[in-house]
Amino acid sequence: MAMIGIDLGTTNSLACVYRNGRAELIPNALGEYKTRSAVSVLEDGSVLVGAAAAERLITHPETTAASFKVWMGTDRIITLGEHSFQPEELSALVLRQLASDAEQYLGEPVTEAVISVPAYFNDNQRCATKLAARIAGLTVERLINEPSAAALYHRHTAGRGDCQMMVIDFGGGTLDVSIVECFENIIEITAIAGDNRLGGNDIDRAIAVHFCQENGITLEDLPPAARASLLRQAETAKFALSGTPAAVIALQAGETQYGMTLTCALLRRLCDPVFRRVREVISRAMKNRERESRIDEVILVGGSSQLTVFGDFLEELFGRRPAVAENPGDIVALGVGLCAGIKERSEDLRDVVMTDVCPFSLGVATYNDTRDDMPHMAFLIQRSSMLPACHQETFYTLFNNQRALRFDIYQGEGYYASENLKLGEIEVQVPPGPAGRQSATVTFTYDIDGILHVSVHSSGGDHRDRLILNPKISDTALERAKERIEKIRLAAQEDGQLLLERALRLYQQVPGSHRAQLGELIRWYQTNREWGDPISREKASRHMAEQLDRLEEWMNTDPLSSGFWTDDEDEEDEHDI
Ligand code: ADP
Ligand code: MG
């Protein structure tokens, strides 16, 4: 039985195992390390997870979901056709797919995992992540902050001496900035700041909004498929700008063709509002440090940190260009794998100690005197306290003959309790007596996994304990969710399906004049897939992949040219069914 590390990302998820003295990424059934965090319900009721599902965001938006990580820990219900899911159930499907691919790769059952979460995730979001794992049938050995994982891996492989690093993780939907101190064998996160609604998606959106302005249309008014198609093209153009100076975006909506050229200068301008928010988070992280000290190294991780304009922006900010990790998209997963190795107590890792800080403050609602009309916060654990943290405070009765003391537990930074997130409540009985005579002592213990343990002892001897888990979900609800998700059949992830979904998506995107030929290609491919022998299937897949690559490349360079299809004799032959 193996323990794996999982980077459960908004956009992409990866799995990693520690063996033979190193962290090793686990490929999925398609041979890729990254699995798109996308889920699509197929016509037969089975569920497709990964890249093929992401293609269906465009062709079947009503039965496909992605980026649901941003809704973790909320009541949001995501409806996919006739099915509805909570965000943690969708994450559970992604986890199940990753675990099943890992089982295939490792040849043994996978039942335990270390999972990474953005440092800025609040308690609800952390609990939802644990819940997702439980629904997927995995025991979570530990949650680890994504930047801690990245720092752990960087430190381990780069063999850096004592130093202070800033880790900037700029992904698809979240930004995390952490300050990490490496001292002898200790890796300590000394400050964090983040924004769990800021990432590469915002850049894609900014490009799409600009595209619409240029073309006199509104993004929100576009049909869902056209909107998804435009966002995807915006993303593809954004990728292209790391290698070329300009990229073209074209959108076919009804009979009208819209177009725009994206240059680096324009992209930089469109990114400005996003980068301003990045800057704010960086400065917040700097301010959150307990002591001022020099930053020796800035490490960029996450897919969006590969953007050239992002590097330019940081260079202006810091006065020198930060080092982009060799594998910015994988480093979190590698770190989580390493952490799984530490959990399993692999000999060669025994010395590394990791500490984390609490990303937010925790406390109870309190009244200072009877005239208070709104309860305010009494913080027991302050933001940025080193974990595990444990604090105690005593509270007294406010009225004569008060029979009970009730504590509402909150998380957040607001002065008034009502501004913060309520996590739960706990009540203890006290013997009657004059105001201020009876009391209760509240103890908060917040552990490294982000689980809050609250215990209250009253002066009358009454005692209550509470483990704060997701207050919305009872054990029976968990069992029901688990049963429901277990029953769902995961469709096999295979290259053929991915190619087909991709072709169907392109079919929607290409101008009408190209549809007949693409349609023919699709039918030819389907026939081959169904009836061909393994060798001709393989040949057909290769041909299909080449054609789609060329078609996509053409769409992103010159939408007005009509010269895409080659009339190569060989290919003509292959088209004959
Ligand atoms: P997450 O951790 O949120 O799942 P990732 O770290 O995998 O996300 O990053 C995904 C984001 O990175 C997406 O918004 C994607 O557009 C962006 N991205 C990936 N590769 C590149 C690239 N080469 N250039 C620019 N952006 C990229
Ligand atoms: Mg990530």
Side-chain angles (χ1 to χ4, degrees), residues 392 428 439-443 455-465:
Q392 215 170 50
V428 285
S439 66
T441 301
V442 181
T443 310
S455 107
V456 183
H457 287 267
S458 88
S459 48
D462 191 16
H463 171 216
R464 294 266 184 282
D465 268 320

Side-chain angles (χ1 to χ4, degrees), residues 7-14 34-37 69 118 146 169-175 198-204 234-236 238-242 267 301-308 328-330 332:
D7 169 8
L8 183 61
T10 316
T11 320
N12 297 302
S13 297
L14 296 89
K34 281 184 185 168
T35 296
R36 278 294 304 261
S37 310
K69 181 172 165 181
E146 288 163 5
D169 182 350
F170 196 23
T174 55
L175 168 73
L198 187 64
N201 297 340
D202 298 280
I203 298 175
D204 305 342
E235 187 185 35
T236 312
K238 174 183 81 174
F239 291 164
L241 287 196
S242 291
L267 179 63
V301 305
S304 300
S305 61
Q306 294 170 75
L307 268 181
T308 312
D330 309 338
V332 169

Side-chain angles (χ1 to χ4, degrees), residues 525-534 536-537:
Y525 184 63
Q526 273 172 322
T527 313
N528 247 294
R529 231 160 82 84
E530 212 161 316
W531 304 106
D533 55 65
S536 64
R537 276 211 303 268

Side-chain angles (χ1 to χ4, degrees), residues 15 103 118 184 252 281-282 297 308 325 336 366 486 517 559 566:
E103 285 180 346
E184 292 177 354
Q252 184 79 22
V281 175
I282 292 175
E297 217 174 332
T308 312
V336 187
T366 179
E486 263 168 15
Q517 224 156 343
T566 48

